[in-house]
Amino acid sequence: MKNIFYLLFIVYIFTNCNDATQKHTKTNSIVLSAKVEAIFQKMTLKEKIGQLNLIRTGKSVKTGEVVSKNVEDKLKTGLVGGIFGLQGKRNIRSAQQIAVNKSRLGIPLIFGLDVIHGYKTTFPIPLALSCSWDMKLIEQVAHSSAIEATSDGLNWTFSPMVDIARDPRWGRIAEGAGEDPFLGSAVAKSMVKGYQGDKLSENNTMLACVKHFANYGATEGGRDYNTVDMSDIRCYNEYYPPYKAAIDAGVGSIMTSFNVLNYIPATANKHLFTEILREQWGFSGFVVTDYTAINEMINHGIGKDLQEVSYKALNAGIDMDMVGEGFLTTLEKSLEEGSINKDQIDIACKRILKAKELLGLFDNPYRYLEESTDLLNKDTRQLARKAATESIVLLKNNNSILPLTNDIKIALIGPLANSKENMLGCWNVAGDYKQAVTVLKGVQSFVGKGNVMYAKGANITDNLKLTNRVNALGKQIEIDKRSPADMIKEAVNISNKSDVIVAVLGEAANMSGEASSMADISLQDSQKKLLKALKSLNKPIVLVLFNGRPMTLKWESENLDAILDVWFGGTESGNAVADVLFGKVNPSAKLTTSFPLSVGQIPVYHSMLNTGRPDNKSHKKFRSNYLDIANEPLFPFGYGLSYTQFEYGKIKLSDTVLTPQKPIIASIDITNSGKVEGEEIVQMYIRDIVGSISRPIKELKGFEKIQLKPRETKTVRFEINEALLRFYNSGLKYESESGKFEVMIGKDSENLSKTGFVLYLK
Ligand code: NOJ
């Protein structure tokens, strides 16, 4: 029952999306406190524009080339609203002191950073964490990250990223919650709550920033920063809901996306940032661009110079310019020339002042510098270990080879088995990889040093070009001095003396994340060769896979005995892997993104539309299929095994007729028929069989994570009401339609039992 609150909220989100045709009435009414209003009244035009300027100083994190010059002078003259990427109390305090003591009006700065999956304590990458389907845990992780980050002086995080992603070539799939809008909305809400708490002005809560609006995850070919073209119906039904959920949960800021959406760069897209965000959704926080996204619109070809792209961004409804200083250097001129008006600058400035007011900075600019927390302490490490174990997905377990007993000889083989550099995953700007626990260390703590034999076996890749590109932000791929053949030989020798081979393989941490798209998402050749050599030994092989994206694993799934997808678990990775390998924790996570059989299937996801010629696994001529492979992914959305077995009973409906006044309840009994306690994520999907537009073959509409002792049975109940069945139709009205529906409940998106009901609207 622990997820019921979240489910109700998600149902609320799905039922309270305004029609795209309706307008919000409260647009642009920003009421400042008397104190802040008085400051605002004294501001010059230059100072107002200064508030719209987010700068990066030399000491900050870098994801682009621009560094602001003459920072101290700018701070003194009120030309800076916030600083991006500055870390450490001393740095933050000295910048704040200049703004507060040396500038004319003493307006405090906000300090933002990408606190994506933890601060000093690194939690699993977001995609991994979403596989827990545990909203309480996700909220706790965000809250713990906020406690650490705020105690180091920060008050704004560029998280959560809620972009729906259905293309695993896109490296940033690692940063989101996968392919589904219903689950994605639940995660978005939990993260916002976790960061912002109930009151932003508490010393340990921080402003969240939902990103990247809009639809960055649908970039063509999976290539980063690339074009997106999408129908409105798909935007509203499938890609917008998580952004909307974050807004309904009270997120204080939103970031633009780098991509062009339907031929207009998001950062100049008035339809997105004024019509949808403000008028339809009533968002009252502020909009920040992505890093130099205004400047990049010259490359997009929608402005001849920085001045033109800057006024286009302001006209679209953007409030703050991240790092590019286009607003700072050109808005005054554009005002004189009449391309923008004074009110637009006033509104943007007020929105940013309001955020500072809500953070309590006008009462005490140093409030986030006062608390001291022991960073990376025992408790946060414990939470990180729990989060990492809850994120691990068991993809295969032939003959119940897992869990391992601790009285056997283990050959621990692979380039990721003893690699601290790769445990944290992408986008950990404050984490210290040296603090991470490796798999070798974790396994040794269960079986002692004597029972584990380790060999690297292969480089992550032997491809030098790829190595250099991946190592651009720090060395994660270490090319061994030995030849690949010698490394394999050592691994084979060791494995020959073992009872079981645990192969720890996969991607380097920075093979996913920003600017890390991959065209080939299978294991690198170096690792495939190693695996084939190990396979020839006829010993049981467990693959422990580190990855920031779904990978193509056909051979591995056919030839290995077990596969444990451990993603990148963060600081406690190695301990978490060992917890699951030895059965201290029974794995319960389920995939939130489909694993394609081959890159050629992409995009492949559970909620596709039907074709006029569905294949139904027949492979007949003139059906919608591939000649060479199946349509279905290798591992579907929602899939994941446990060390126990769960038996599902029949779906019972409280009624087969649903009306707006009378919801129905779908219930099902789940029994743990295995020998150990375990958790199961029960999923409900619905299909609207006939509609005014084509509707998906199934849509996730409910889930619940339950815990069951051996032989225990629990009944899971899902309420189905009229609102849950609404969708955006061709007129972009959010409505349900009378007719027949299928309801499907099961352990994953393909393993479902089915029944039906009818919706009567009149
Ligand atoms: C670019 C990324 O797209 C965005 O997600 C991030 O928050 C900013 N850089 C700031 O680092």
Side-chain angles (χ1 to χ4, degrees):
M1 293 305 273
K2 67 183 174 187
N3 281 329
I4 199 82
F5 172 71
Y6 294 92
L7 293 181
L8 288 176
F9 175 83
I10 296 315
V11 170
Y12 166 84
I13 294 301
F14 270 70
T15 53
N16 284 278
C17 287
N18 303 318
D19 278 0
T21 46
Q22 279 172 12
K23 285 204 173 178
H24 228 269
T25 45
K26 282 190 296 185
T27 320
N28 297 341
S29 52
I30 309 135
V31 183
L32 299 172
S33 68
K35 177 177 171 182
V36 182
E37 180 65 35
I39 295 173
F40 175 76
Q41 292 304 333
K42 290 186 203 139
M43 290 174 86
T44 62
L45 176 66
K46 268 208 170 61
E47 286 165 339
K48 287 175 183 168
I49 294 174
Q51 286 303 305
L52 321 189
N53 190 27
L54 178 67
I55 62 163
R56 178 163 84 83
T57 68
K59 289 193 177 128
S60 344
V61 176
K62 172 172 162 180
T63 56
E65 291 311 320
V66 183
V67 179
S68 188
K69 300 208 176 66
N70 306 324
V71 171
E72 197 165 334
D73 284 348
K74 282 180 185 149
L75 291 174
K76 286 181 183 159
T77 42
L79 297 186
V80 179
I83 301 188
F84 156 85
L86 203 57
Q87 281 181 58
K89 273 187 168 158
R90 195 176 326 138
N91 291 332
I92 291 179
R93 182 182 292 278
S94 67
Q96 192 70 302
Q97 276 169 342
I98 301 173
V100 170
N101 300 330
K102 305 264 169 73
S103 74
R104 196 175 73 89
L105 296 171
I107 299 175
L109 302 164
I110 43 171
F111 295 91
L113 186 79
D114 290 276
V115 180
I116 305 293
H117 50 115
Y119 185 61
K120 293 290 177 200
T121 307
T122 308
F123 296 100
I125 55 168
L127 182 60
L129 197 56
S130 71
C131 293
S132 70
W133 299 55
D134 184 338
M135 299 308 132
K136 201 83 224 121
L137 176 72
I138 291 172
E139 185 179 327
Q140 251 180 310
V141 162
H143 184 51
S144 170
S145 311
I147 293 174
E148 280 199 347
T150 53
S151 86
D152 218 18
L154 293 158
N155 44 38
W156 185 23
T157 174
F158 304 125
S159 173
M161 181 189 109
V162 304
D163 304 319
I164 295 295
R166 294 168 175 178
D167 191 333
R169 292 170 298 183
W170 190 50
R172 303 199 76 172
I173 197 170
E175 293 176 55
E179 72 186 35
D180 184 74
F182 188 86
L183 184 69
S185 298
V187 172
K189 189 247 170 175
S190 303
M191 293 195 74
V192 170
K193 272 216 79 191
Y195 289 129
Q196 296 195 164
D198 295 327
K199 214 167 156 215
L200 261 181
S201 60
E202 296 290 326
N203 293 8
N204 61 7
T205 56
M206 68 198 307
L207 190 72
C209 181
V210 64
K211 65 191 190 184
H212 307 84
F213 198 52
N215 304 359
Y216 185 25
T219 158
E220 274 180 9
R223 181 156 55 81
D224 214 355
Y225 317 122
N226 205 5
T227 306
V228 178
D229 194 294
M230 194 182 285
S231 70
D232 271 343
I233 292 185
R234 174 165 277 188
C235 288
Y236 276 94
N237 284 321
E238 300 172 36
Y239 279 71
Y240 291 166
Y243 307 112
K244 172 80 166 53
I247 285 162
D248 289 340
V251 73
S253 64
I254 185 164
M255 190 185 291
T256 72
S257 57
F258 281 127
N259 55 282
V260 162
L261 177 63
N262 300 340
Y263 289 84
I264 302 181
T267 307
N269 203 315
K270 193 167 180 179
H271 175 59
L272 288 177
F273 286 98
T274 300
E275 289 166 18
I276 297 178
L277 198 66
R278 304 286 179 193
E279 294 171 6
Q280 289 171 22
W281 296 351
F283 177 61
S284 60
F286 72 92
V287 178
V288 63
T289 70
D290 203 340
Y291 197 106
T292 59
I294 294 181
N295 316 55
E296 291 169 25
M297 292 198 295
I298 301 173
N299 284 343
H300 284 298
I302 66 128
K304 60 182 177 313
D305 55 18
L306 189 56
Q307 184 184 349
E308 187 174 353
V309 287
S310 298
Y311 74 66
K312 284 192 168 166
L314 191 80
N315 282 334
I318 310 306
D319 303 306
M320 189 180 243
D321 174 2
M322 186 191 285
V323 174
E325 301 206 331
F327 278 0
L328 186 76
T329 54
T330 69
L331 286 189
E332 260 184 291
K333 188 154 178 250
S334 295
L335 185 62
E336 278 161 25
E337 291 171 5
S339 327
I340 56 170
N341 63 50
K342 207 179 123 296
D343 284 356
Q344 290 173 292
I345 293 173
D346 282 358
I347 288 167
C349 175
K350 278 190 170 186
R351 285 184 184 136
I352 290 155
L353 294 180
K354 185 73 198 175
K356 293 180 178 182
E357 181 191 311
L358 292 171
L359 282 165
L361 290 169
F362 283 102
D363 294 333
N364 178 3
Y366 305 104
R367 80 178 328 127
Y368 298 93
L369 295 156
E370 281 170 353
E371 290 281 311
S372 237
T373 307
D374 194 7
L375 301 172
L376 196 61
N377 64 37
K378 216 169 98 264
D379 293 342
T380 58
R381 273 191 174 266
Q382 209 174 337
L383 180 62
R385 184 167 179 166
K386 177 176 156 59
T389 54
E390 278 214 41
S391 304
I392 292 176
V393 188
L394 179 63
L395 295 175
K396 182 177 179 187
N397 194 18
N398 259 19
N399 302 321
S400 299
I401 180 177
L402 291 179
L404 301 175
T405 51
N406 53 11
D407 55 357
I408 49 170
K409 284 218 163 310
I410 298 170
L412 194 70
I413 309 291
L416 289 147
N418 190 25
S419 173
K420 286 191 175 211
E421 294 82 351
N422 284 295
M423 295 298 97
L424 302 187
C426 61
W427 259 130
N428 66 89
V429 293
D432 176 4
Y433 73 80
K434 294 193 197 89
Q435 302 292 329
V437 181
T438 63
V439 178
L440 178 59
K441 194 95 197 175
V443 169
Q444 282 173 341
S445 70
F446 272 80
V447 294
K449 287 193 177 164
N451 279 334
V452 199
M453 297 167 286
Y454 160 72
K456 183 174 171 187
N459 297 314
I460 291 178
T461 181
D462 294 331
N463 177 335
L464 293 182
K465 274 194 189 149
L466 180 62
T467 299
N468 290 336
R469 289 170 190 162
V470 171
N471 286 347
L473 299 178
K475 199 167 195 175
Q476 294 182 342
I477 302 181
E478 177 88 53
I479 303 284
D480 209 273
K481 290 193 185 68
R482 293 168 295 170
S483 72
D486 281 352
M487 291 165 79
I488 290 183
K489 204 158 137 205
E490 183 196 23
V492 165
N493 284 341
I494 282 175
S495 300
N496 258 326
K497 296 180 213 146
S498 72
D499 301 314
V500 63
I501 301 167
V502 176
V504 190
L505 306 178
E507 300 187 296
N510 282 336
M511 282 165 84
S512 56
E514 187 174 348
S516 299
S517 295
M518 293 281 287
D520 178 355
I521 55 170
S522 65
L523 279 176
Q524 292 291 307
D525 285 347
S526 55
Q527 301 186 49
K528 284 182 190 153
K529 274 188 207 140
L530 169 66
L531 267 184
K532 286 190 177 148
L534 296 175
K535 174 73 186 167
S536 69
L537 303 179
N538 278 326
K539 302 239 177 194
I541 305 180
V542 176
L543 170 62
V544 170
L545 185 73
F546 279 84
N547 51 331
R549 57 160 57 80
M551 297 181 76
T552 47
L553 300 166
K554 186 166 182 292
W555 185 90
E556 292 77 3
S557 69
E558 285 164 357
N559 288 282
L560 307 179
D561 299 277
I563 305 179
L564 210 52
D565 190 342
V566 303
W567 308 105
F568 290 101
T571 316
E572 287 290 318
S573 264
N575 282 332
V577 171
D579 284 345
V580 174
L581 275 178
F582 295 101
K584 185 176 166 200
V585 175
N586 185 355
S588 60
K590 303 223 182 191
L591 298 178
T592 55
T593 167
S594 309
F595 273 45
L597 194 54
S598 145
V599 166
Q601 287 179 324
I602 296 171
V604 59
Y605 52 97
H606 68 286
S607 52
M608 293 182 135
L609 301 185
N610 213 4
T611 66
R613 295 180 177 195
D615 182 63
N616 300 333
K617 302 190 181 173
S618 68
H619 259 282
K620 290 211 178 99
K621 194 74 189 159
F622 305 118
R623 310 301 293 180
S624 179
N625 54 32
Y626 300 98
L627 284 176
D628 53 346
I629 59 168
N631 288 354
E632 290 71 30
L634 178 62
F635 299 115
F637 175 84
Y639 174 82
L641 304 172
S642 161
Y643 293 155
T644 190
Q645 290 79 44
F646 298 103
E647 307 297 332
Y648 280 62
K650 275 203 167 132
I651 306 174
K652 289 184 210 125
L653 292 183
S654 59
D655 202 333
T656 51
V657 176
L658 169 62
T659 65
Q661 297 73 35
K662 197 164 160 272
I664 58 174
I665 303 290
S667 56
I668 193 159
D669 289 346
I670 324 287
T671 304
N672 180 349
S673 58
K675 295 197 180 72
V676 289
E677 187 165 353
E679 285 184 304
E680 171 70 337
I681 299 163
V682 184
Q683 301 156 44
M684 177 180 75
Y685 299 81
I686 290 183
R687 178 175 185 179
D688 183 351
I689 300 170
V690 178
S692 60
I693 59 169
S694 278
R695 303 282 293 123
I697 48 175
K698 62 188 73 130
E699 289 177 291
L700 182 72
K701 290 290 183 180
F703 60 89
E704 192 171 325
K705 193 168 182 176
I706 52 168
Q707 184 146 19
L708 289 174
K709 295 199 168 58
R711 288 179 303 283
E712 190 181 353
T713 298
K714 274 188 185 161
T715 306
V716 173
R717 292 184 181 79
F718 295 104
E719 181 180 303
I720 306 172
N721 56 35
E722 177 274 327
L724 193 63
L725 308 175
R726 292 182 197 164
F727 61 94
Y728 286 91
N729 60 26
S730 55
L732 295 184
K733 283 207 169 293
Y734 193 59
E735 291 174 347
S736 61
E737 293 174 1
S738 295
K740 286 187 180 162
F741 289 78
E742 273 171 9
V743 54
M744 296 159 264
I745 302 182
K747 44 181 76 176
D748 62 59
S749 62
E750 283 184 6
N751 219 316
L752 297 162
S753 52
K754 181 162 63 174
T755 183
F757 64 88
V758 177
L759 169 67
Y760 280 120
L761 288 178
K762 281 180 194 132

